[in-house]
Amino acid sequence: MPTAYLLAGCPFSFKLLLFLSEAQLLDRVKIETVEADSGRMEELKKKFESATGKKGSFPTVEIEPGVYKSDSDALITHFSDAHGINPSNLVALSFYKQSILPQLEKLH
Ligand SMILES: N[C@@H](CCC(=O)N[C@@H](CS)C(=O)NCC(=O)O)C(=O)O
């Protein structure tokens, strides 16, 4: 089962979690939420960076053993394609992306 690594308080991690919840995929993905500035966060970032060669970020999903994918939009596309979901039909996700996330990005 893929593991989604989320960062507590992260608006992009919440976007992925909202998608997985609304698309009813939470029984197909293991969730691990890490605290900001924790040892576990640093440990995972190093793991993501050595696997992808890019700066580690949350959310990241280990989509199969040793294969890591980052970026909330890319992850939503990945799971939508895999499960035949049209994310624009997801009302809560669309609401969050259109009217909540832009405000959070300004603050972030
Ligand atoms: N475009 C990325 C942005 C992800 C992002 O900026 N995540 C932040 C936390 S909200 C992060 O991982 N920052 C790295 C750090 O804090 O070291 C996405 O949509 O996933």
Side-chain angles (χ1 to χ4, degrees):
M1 188 185 287
T3 300
Y5 297 98
L6 309 181
L7 181 66
C10 168
F12 305 101
S13 295
F14 180 70
K15 180 172 42 157
L16 178 63
L17 181 60
L18 183 59
F19 163 78
L20 292 171
S21 175
E22 198 175 15
Q24 302 191 324
L25 295 175
L26 282 175
D27 56 350
R28 307 283 188 97
V29 182
K30 182 175 174 244
I31 304 288
E32 179 178 334
T33 302
V34 301
E35 292 301 319
D37 303 323
S38 61
R40 181 66 175 151
M41 178 185 173
E42 290 312 314
E43 180 189 342
L44 285 169
K45 274 179 71 175
K46 278 187 198 140
K47 192 187 273 195
F48 304 158
E49 284 166 12
S50 68
T52 64
K54 296 183 196 150
K55 191 174 182 298
S57 69
F58 295 86
T60 290
V61 177
E62 187 173 16
I63 54 176
E64 55 187 80
V67 179
Y68 293 85
K69 194 172 185 68
S70 302
D71 189 78
S72 54
D73 286 328
L75 288 164
I76 287 170
T77 299
H78 169 82
F79 284 111
S80 293
D81 291 349
H83 296 282
I85 288 156
N86 181 350
S88 55
N89 291 339
L90 300 177
V91 177
L93 178 69
S94 298
F95 183 97
Y96 177 74
K97 283 179 70 174
Q98 284 159 23
S99 66
I100 305 288
L101 187 58
Q103 297 186 56
L104 293 175
E105 281 181 294
K106 271 191 215 156
L107 297 172
H108 217 63

